[in-house]
Every structure is written in structure tokens, then in C-alpha cells.
Amino acid sequence: MAEGAGEEKKKFSIWDLPDVPMGQLPPHLELQRSRVSCNKDAPIHTESIQYSGAYASMGIDNSSRLDLFSNNFRVEVVRLNEDDIEFDMIGIDAAIANSFRRILIAELPTMAIEKVLIANNTSIIQDEVLAHRLGLVPIRVDPRLFDYLSENDQPNEKNTIVFKLHVQCKRGSPRITVKSDALKWLPNGSELVKETRNATSDSSSKPEIYTYFGCSQETVPEFVKNPIIPKYPDIIIAKLGPGQEIELEAHAVKGIGKTHAKWSPVATAWYRMLPEVVLLEDIEDDLAEELKSKCPVNVFDIEDLGKGRRRATVARPRACTLCRECIRGDDWEKRVALRRVKDHFIFTIESTGALPPEVLFTEAVKILEDKCERVITELS
Amino acid sequence: MEHGFFTDNSAATFSLTDEDHTIANAVRFTLNQDPRVTFCGYSIPHPSEARVNIRVQTTGKLNITLFFKAHFSKVNLSIMQEVQYLMHHNMHFLETMFSRKLNWGAR
């Protein structure tokens, strides 16, 4: 049974081990389950342990229940500007966070220029290049007020926005730069007329037009307050030399980022896991100074212990970018542990301007909801 | 969207069209957490075709179609509602803080 201490080695006895707490994971397993350990060469324990019976032998139920989820789940907004937002989601898993990110980038609808009717282009920018550039210009309009335009529909005031661009550089004047504020909104629809093939058409037949606006878009009160213009007026579209002219009409329709990236409502959206920096042993004096100077984003700080002794502390773990400078070099891996909390996500959304970023996220959640409901109805 | 059956009723492969990792990974995660599920995984047969196969095997006493359907309505939707509720909650708080009228739902 329990042996006394020998001269060199103490005999090991299992009865001396501390009790394994039942109903709770031992600390090393809890670390494995809830943290990604970022080592010098690669992160480990990155997968999330979802299987409900994963810890069955320890008597721990790993299944998630909805009441536990509601209790633990939190959303905290850190920063909110006109065009970007940074918020924390605590208590969900990477699978769902990634679903939100994918939807934000690819499945939220926006309005973007799709068809460009070019009446005259004598500039050096080719027609298709000009049309491509126009498509990428973000338009400041709420896409929820519009419908999709499919092939069988006629373009009308509910699914199309018409812009006009007519710029001319006169002979003798210096070169001009065409910026996106030259795009003028036509609330009454297209002004161009389709060319009729029939040379002998009688003058009494109505000319065919490109859009069929029932009423002017200006009657919508939303557009009276905020007329439809490109979000940024200083985007360079083309440059004209003397004697060159561009005259075109651009039709904007609703689409999603999956079809073409011009319809993506975010400049980008990304998430990262909350960094956790842990000092495994006390780091004092010179080593502390060295550690503090190593970190490029000032994660560490020095605190005075009195009597001239200083100790390093972790002041701003959230700023850690995982450059791993603090664990480079001999022995530093034993002193500093870099980890990531697996269920705490820091989301950043940068909007291109069609919708404010907080609205973008709630729309993304609604779209995921719609997808789930679609599956449910399909199965019935 | 079809589902493939074996001779037993407690496991099935659901083949969803027009879907990709966005919904499949989220569903796979929530399904795995349920203690009645012994296996859940998804695969995309070919990336050019928008189809995803979700395989679910249960402990044997369930009708798999009903289970799958109920899972969506109970679990996934409630997660979405929680997220939405919390964002709304935060937004109203922030409106007072930033005194900027946040542009909320249209229509």
C-alpha cells in the first residue's frame, strides 16, 4: 500500500492520487475541449468536440440542451460605426459562426449595375471594361425595397434602378477624370429607345423602350429623403482626353454575392476566436522586460512588486495577433501559453454602404432561418 | 430534395439540392450534440453541383424523417431566434449610447 519515502525515489502509489472529480472534466481535458492551444509550429485541439457521448466514460454529458444554450449565449457589441461593426458572440460554435460569415459574404442581396446600354464611347476605356467597372460601384440604396428581376419579368420601377452617365471632354480643354458622382439617377426609367429592325415601320407605332416604369421612383418616400446615388462619389470610372465622350445608361438589379462578387454587401466579414495568453510561471525582472518588448501589439505589461522587483502580466490579450514572437526562442514555450477560446468569436463586419452593418448581420440570421424553414417544408 | 432510406427506419441520407457548407455544417454540428444520434456527417459529392448529402444514424427508436424535421424546427430555429433577440437587445441599448438612429427593418 502506501510506501514511505526511499532515499532516491518515492514509491508511487495510486492511492495517493487526487480524486478525479466526477461530473466535471479534469483540467487537462477541459483545456482540450474548450481551448485551441497555439504552439510554436501549429495549433492543436482545433476540432470542436460535438459528439454527445464524447465524455461518457467520465459520466459527463456533452450534449447541448437548448436551455443551457440560452443561458450561456451572449452577444456584446464592442464598436459600431457607420460602416463597420465589431461584436463578440460567446457560446456558439465555429460551424454556426462560419455559416453567418458565408451568408454575409455570399447570400445577402444588394443592388448593383448589371446591364449597361452604351450609346457612345469614344474613350480609350473599352466598353466591357467600362461596364465591368460600373458594376463594381456600390450603390447607396436599401435592397429590401426591391424585387429580383428574373428573365421573364419586364424591368419596372420595382426591380430596376436606372442611372445615366454623359460626360464629354471638349477639344482644347485638359483631360478630365470621370468619377462616380457623374452617375445621375433617372427615377422615371430609361430614356433610350430600342432600335427597330423594321425599316418600314410606320411612325404611328410606339417606339420600344428598355424599361416599363409605371410610376416614378421618386414617389417612394424613402427615395425622396435619400436619393439613390453611389455610396462613394470619388470612385474613378474612366479618364477622358480632349474630344472623347461617354454616353451610357446603366441598369442596376438585385442579386447575391454567389452569382457575382459585385453583389456582395460587405467589403469583408471575418471572425476570430478570443485569444487567451497565459503565463505558465512567474516572469520577473529582466525576463519580464524582454517579454514586454517582444510583443508588437503590447499584450504584456510590467507591474511593480515593490523592492525593485517587477513582474510581467497579461494586460491586453484581446489584441494578440498570434505572431508567436513571445514563444520564439529557447524556453519561452514553457513560460507563455497562447490559446484561443473555442466558443468566443470576435466578428468584424465592414459594409460597403448599402445597408448598415448591424442590419446586415440580422438579415444574415434571417436568411439562415429561411434556409432551415425551406428544408422543413421540403421534407413535409 | 430527396432522402434515401435503408431497410431500417432509424437512419437515412438526406440529399439537399441548392445547398452547400453554409447550412450543412451548421446542421451537422447541432445534430451531433443530440444524444439520440450515433452518427452525423455531410459530404458534397461534387463541388460543381450544388448538392449536399447529410447522413444521420440514430439509436434506433426514431423515425428519421420526423426527427430530422423536428430537429430543424426546434434546434436551429431557436438558435437563430436567440441570436436575433440578442442583437436587437444590444441595438436598443446602443441606440441610446451612440444616439444614432439605427436603420432597422424596412417595410
Side-chain angles (χ1 to χ4, degrees):
Chain A
M1 296 285 257
E3 322 271 74
E7 284 88 348
E8 307 92 34
K9 279 196 318 194
K10 189 169 175 177
K11 277 284 176 78
F12 176 73
S13 163
I14 59 171
W15 304 110
D16 290 337
L17 285 173
D19 280 334
V20 176
M22 290 304 272
Q24 205 191 345
L25 279 177
H28 66 284
L29 283 183
E30 183 64 29
L31 188 74
Q32 208 180 43
R33 187 183 76 90
S34 67
R35 302 282 190 274
V36 175
S37 307
C38 304
N39 297 341
K40 197 150 72 166
D41 44 358
I44 53 175
H45 307 143
T46 54
E47 69 285 348
S48 56
I49 305 196
Q50 317 152 348
Y51 179 51
S52 57
Y55 299 111
S57 56
M58 319 248 357
I60 290 160
D61 180 15
N62 198 26
S63 69
S64 83
R65 294 199 305 275
L66 274 177
D67 44 356
L68 284 182
F69 173 74
S70 314
N71 289 343
N72 297 340
F73 181 56
R74 284 194 334 262
V75 173
E76 289 165 4
V77 180
V78 169
R79 191 184 69 223
L80 174 60
N81 299 328
E82 197 191 323
D83 281 334
D84 62 43
I85 185 176
E86 183 181 330
F87 62 96
D88 286 13
M89 285 219 281
I90 306 163
I92 60 164
D93 185 73
I96 305 194
N98 196 33
S99 297
F100 288 141
R101 185 193 64 92
R102 286 175 68 100
I103 293 181
L104 279 164
I105 293 179
E107 301 194 37
L108 278 180
T110 343
M111 306 295 291
I113 291 175
E114 165 86 350
K115 275 211 177 77
V116 178
L117 308 169
I118 302 186
N120 188 5
N121 177 17
T122 44
S123 74
I124 54 167
I125 315 284
Q126 299 92 337
D127 287 351
E128 61 271 16
V129 174
L130 194 52
H132 178 249
R133 290 177 72 83
L134 282 170
L136 293 172
V137 169
I139 302 175
R140 199 188 67 182
V141 64
D142 189 337
R144 294 172 290 188
L145 302 169
F146 287 88
D147 306 326
Y148 284 97
L149 171 67
S150 65
E151 286 152 19
N152 322 334
D153 292 341
Q154 280 184 345
N156 56 30
E157 72 273 9
K158 289 205 182 37
N159 51 34
T160 316
I161 304 177
V162 181
F163 292 97
K164 177 171 131 136
L165 178 65
H166 187 180
V167 200
Q168 203 179 9
C169 183
K170 301 215 177 357
R171 288 202 177 277
S173 60
R175 298 164 175 275
I176 55 174
T177 310
V178 180
K179 298 206 174 152
S180 52
D181 55 1
L183 279 169
K184 300 273 176 289
W185 176 38
L186 298 178
N188 289 320
S190 171
E191 290 170 354
L192 294 179
V193 167
K194 276 193 193 167
E195 288 178 3
T196 46
R197 306 257 167 148
N198 207 346
T200 59
S201 64
D202 40 343
S203 52
S204 59
S205 66
K206 259 179 93 169
E208 282 230 345
I209 48 176
Y210 285 100
T211 60
Y212 300 88
F213 273 43
C215 61
S216 164
Q217 279 172 334
E218 263 175 340
T219 55
V220 179
E222 178 65 36
F223 298 147
V224 174
K225 281 186 305 181
N226 311 319
I228 303 178
I229 51 169
K231 167 81 180 177
Y232 301 100
D234 53 355
I235 300 176
I236 298 179
I237 298 180
K239 292 193 177 181
L240 294 178
Q244 294 175 351
E245 181 182 356
I246 297 181
E247 184 180 352
L248 55 80
E249 229 181 52
H251 296 191
V253 295
K254 188 167 169 177
I256 55 175
K258 252 194 198 173
T259 328
H260 192 284
K262 68 187 176 191
W263 276 301
S264 181
V266 292
T268 187
W270 76 92
Y271 64 83
R272 59 188 181 114
M273 292 191 267
L274 181 76
E276 192 187 46
V277 183
V278 173
L279 297 174
L280 298 170
E281 40 179 62
D282 272 343
I283 301 184
E284 304 197 339
D285 298 334
D286 290 334
L287 277 183
E289 292 285 340
E290 192 187 338
L291 182 62
K292 179 167 181 228
S293 59
K294 267 202 209 188
C295 182
V297 285
N298 299 326
V299 167
F300 301 100
D301 235 345
I302 309 275
E303 68 168 357
D304 275 321
L305 289 177
K307 294 190 209 154
R309 291 173 55 222
R310 306 175 310 273
R311 191 173 63 181
T313 55
V314 180
R316 285 162 291 269
R318 201 182 154 103
C320 176
T321 55
L322 203 61
C323 66
R324 292 186 173 101
E325 269 299 315
C326 44
I327 51 176
R328 183 182 301 213
D330 316 318
D331 288 346
W332 277 105
E333 253 196 312
K334 296 205 279 267
R335 299 183 193 127
V336 182
L338 293 175
R339 299 188 195 138
R340 293 263 182 280
V341 183
K342 276 191 204 174
D343 62 351
H344 185 139
F345 292 95
I346 303 174
F347 258 89
T348 314
I349 303 177
E350 292 179 4
S351 159
T352 49
L355 284 172
E358 66 274 4
V359 176
L360 279 177
F361 185 70
T362 41
E363 290 292 313
V365 179
K366 278 189 213 156
I367 288 189
L368 192 51
E369 234 179 305
D370 287 342
K371 278 180 182 266
C372 294
E373 292 195 356
R374 242 186 58 198
V375 178
I376 295 177
T377 49
E378 289 269 354
L379 277 177
S380 329
Chain B
M1 205 156 56
E2 326 99 44
H3 35 261
F5 283 107
F6 278 110
T7 47
D8 72 272
N9 222 13
S10 72
T13 306
F14 293 93
S15 183
L16 311 178
T17 48
D18 284 338
E19 296 293 350
D20 57 359
H21 303 276
T22 308
I23 197 174
N25 200 17
V27 166
R28 179 196 63 94
F29 167 71
T30 47
L31 269 172
N32 260 319
Q33 304 253 293
D34 192 308
R36 292 168 290 181
V37 167
T38 53
F39 176 83
C40 176
Y42 79 93
S43 78
I44 298 192
H46 195 279
S48 306
E49 185 191 358
R51 178 182 289 269
V52 66
N53 293 342
I54 305 181
R55 171 90 190 153
V56 189
Q57 280 171 204
T58 62
T59 47
K61 303 197 175 53
L62 303 171
N63 180 327
I64 190 69
T65 321
L66 293 178
F67 174 67
F68 195 57
K69 227 170 67 173
H71 178 86
F72 265 100
S73 28
K74 264 192 349 224
V75 179
N76 287 61
L77 286 185
S78 8
I79 294 184
M80 298 310 125
Q81 274 150 12
E82 276 290 328
V83 175
Q84 274 194 328
Y85 168 70
L86 279 171
M87 282 303 277
H88 270 268
H89 196 65
N90 265 287
M91 286 313 136
H92 284 127
F93 169 65
L94 281 170
E95 265 180 355
T96 49
M97 260 182 64
F98 288 89
S99 53
R100 167 169 86 86
K101 195 71 188 86
L102 298 174
N103 176 13
W104 272 111
R107 296 194 234 250

